[in-house]
Structure formats: structure tokens, C-alpha cells
Amino acid sequence: MSTAQSMQDGWAARARIGVVVPHADVGPESEFQAMAPHDVFIHGSRVHFGAMRAGGEMDPKIPHDPVRAFVEPPHIDQAVELLAAAPLDAIALGFTSSAYILGAAGEKELFARLSQHTRGLPLTGTTTAAVAALTALDAQRLALVNPPWFDDALSGLGADYFTQQGVTVAHHGPCGLPSNQKLITPEALSEWIRTTVAGHKPDAVLVAGNGIRAVGTINALEEELGFTILTANQVLLWHALHLAGAGEIARHITDYGRVFTHSPVTA
């Protein structure tokens, strides 16, 4: 009998999370996989986003029409349906700005429509996950840091979204960093939060936008500033794991913020 041991081959997953992303964006999958334990696997499905070009290039400020079009049928419905055909445990929408455009009520309508294509799998999105995180942490005063490619009007819609959810928005705005995914560093984002946002004394900061490089800032900033740091992909993975029945896995993620020590009030 052979004594050779089989190497890990990626099949022994404790959880599999599907994530829908813009066609040229690698941010959500990259940050999910950085945070996830080795036996949690991330599976992506891509939808064309009219404000993004090959190589991940965008205009300095993204127009609103492509943001709305991203969540209109049929393409996102098809992406969700194709993901749901795989043996996954939950599906996450890795896109923030559409919820800003739709508002809280419109987002609920979107989820109701997409749920017809999920084969019963739980579905979450960035802003829904962020509200769940704020509730779990009892954080009532929010500072909202949006990507530099959001304009002031889109940032204002984001503030409206969270206000509609009963959250006090103490500060919001696009961060003053280069409007280019490749030029945003954890160091620069940390300095922006430290110098521009911290003075508003929030209970929590949310770095919104799934395409902004952010999860590497979380632990150090929480330790330094004392308040909770949330990011789009962090809360999305946290919520998806709990919806997937993998809350114990989430609680063992120790390097990406205090939210992982909490459970959603309902999951």
C-alpha cells in the first residue's frame, strides 16, 4: 500500500462564496481571498460595467447611468443564476454604488428580483452587509469614505442611503486620493482617514466601493484610532459567511477588524 499523501487540491472547502463583480475589477476577489481562510473559496462572476475599460481603467469620476445599468436586467440576473448553479453557500454582490443610486427601497426590489435566480442560496450586497455590521456593532454614527471616482452627488446619495436605514452620517465624501485603483495604497488611505475623517469622531468608518484597496488598513487603524473600521469587501465577506451558515469560520478571522468578532443580529 502506498504511503504517499495527497496534496491539497482545493476540493475540501468549508465554505464557497460566489461574488458578482464588474468585468474589469479584480478588487473584490483579491480582498476576499486575502481575508478568507485557506479552506474558504471565492468564485467570481463578471458583469459588464460601462464606466470601466480594459485593464481596470476608469474616468476620474464615473457617470451615474452605467452604475444604474449594472443592476438592470438581464446581465446581472444571468450572472447570479450562473453562480447559483454551482455548489456554493452564499452569493455576494461586489458593487456599492448601485445601492446608492437605487436607495434602500430600490435595493430591496433588486434583491427580490435576483432572489428568483439564486436557487434558494442567500444573497447579500455591500450596503446591506454594512448596515448589518453597524447594527451588530451598535455603531450609530458613521463616517463614509467613498472612492475618489465617486462624485459629490453620488457620495450624497450614499449618505441618503444610510440615513434611510436609521444611521447618523457624521461625514461623507470622496477621498482625496488619485482616481486610479492602481495608485491607491493602504498608507495613503490610512493617512486620509487619520487626518480628514477621524476628527468627526464616528463610531465607525466605512470605506465604501469594492474596487478601492482598503482591507490592509483595518487592524492598524482600529488600534490607533479606537473606532471601528469597516470596508466594502470586509463587511461583504463577513455577512456572506454568516448567511452561509459559516459564522464560526468568520469568528476565526482575526486580522481584518473587530466586526469578525460579532454576529449579525439576524442572519
Side-chain angles (χ1 to χ4, degrees), residues 31-248:
E31 293 201 333
F32 270 39
Q33 202 62 70
M35 292 181 284
H38 73 277
D39 51 2
V40 172
F41 293 95
I42 310 304
H43 304 274
S45 187
R46 316 197 90 74
V47 175
H48 184 263
F49 177 39
M52 208 168 201
R53 298 180 292 279
E57 300 298 327
M58 291 182 293
D59 292 334
K61 298 293 182 183
I62 59 173
H64 294 194
D65 286 348
V67 171
R68 182 180 293 276
F70 185 82
V71 292
E72 291 177 345
H75 300 302
I76 196 168
D77 305 65
Q78 294 168 347
V80 167
E81 185 171 11
L82 290 171
L83 268 181
L88 305 180
D89 300 295
I91 295 174
L93 303 182
F95 200 71
T96 301
S97 51
S98 59
Y100 286 12
I101 294 284
L102 295 175
E107 183 187 45
K108 287 184 179 179
E109 293 175 1
L110 171 66
F111 276 48
R113 189 188 87 222
L114 294 180
S115 68
Q116 301 174 47
H117 305 285
T118 62
R119 201 170 52 84
L121 294 175
L123 175 73
T124 187
T126 303
T127 46
T128 295
V131 171
L134 292 167
T135 302
L137 291 157
D138 194 26
Q140 300 175 15
R141 185 174 168 85
L142 174 67
L144 186 58
V145 176
N146 287 308
W149 47 86
F150 285 20
D151 61 19
D152 290 335
L154 189 55
S155 180
L157 290 173
D160 291 344
Y161 174 95
F162 286 100
T163 300
Q164 292 163 12
Q165 300 282 16
V167 178
T168 298
V169 179
H171 168 78
H172 74 88
C175 62
L177 300 176
S179 190
N180 183 319
Q181 285 181 309
K182 300 171 186 175
L183 299 180
I184 294 175
T185 65
E187 294 76 17
L189 180 59
S190 295
E191 184 64 11
W192 178 261
I193 293 171
R194 187 181 295 116
T195 59
T196 306
V197 181
H200 295 277
K201 301 188 183 302
D203 297 327
V205 168
L206 172 63
V207 182
N210 300 79
I212 188 169
R213 184 181 178 185
V215 299
T217 70
I218 296 169
N219 264 15
L221 281 178
E222 284 192 342
E223 183 175 343
E224 175 188 347
L225 300 176
F227 46 72
T228 296
I229 303 294
L230 304 174
T231 80
N233 293 319
Q234 171 219 40
V235 295
L236 193 56
L237 177 63
W238 167 81
H239 200 221
L241 284 172
H242 280 280
L243 291 177
E248 190 60 28

Side-chain angles (χ1 to χ4, degrees), residues 1-7:
M1 185 175 70
S2 173
T3 60
Q5 292 186 342
S6 298
M7 299 298 292

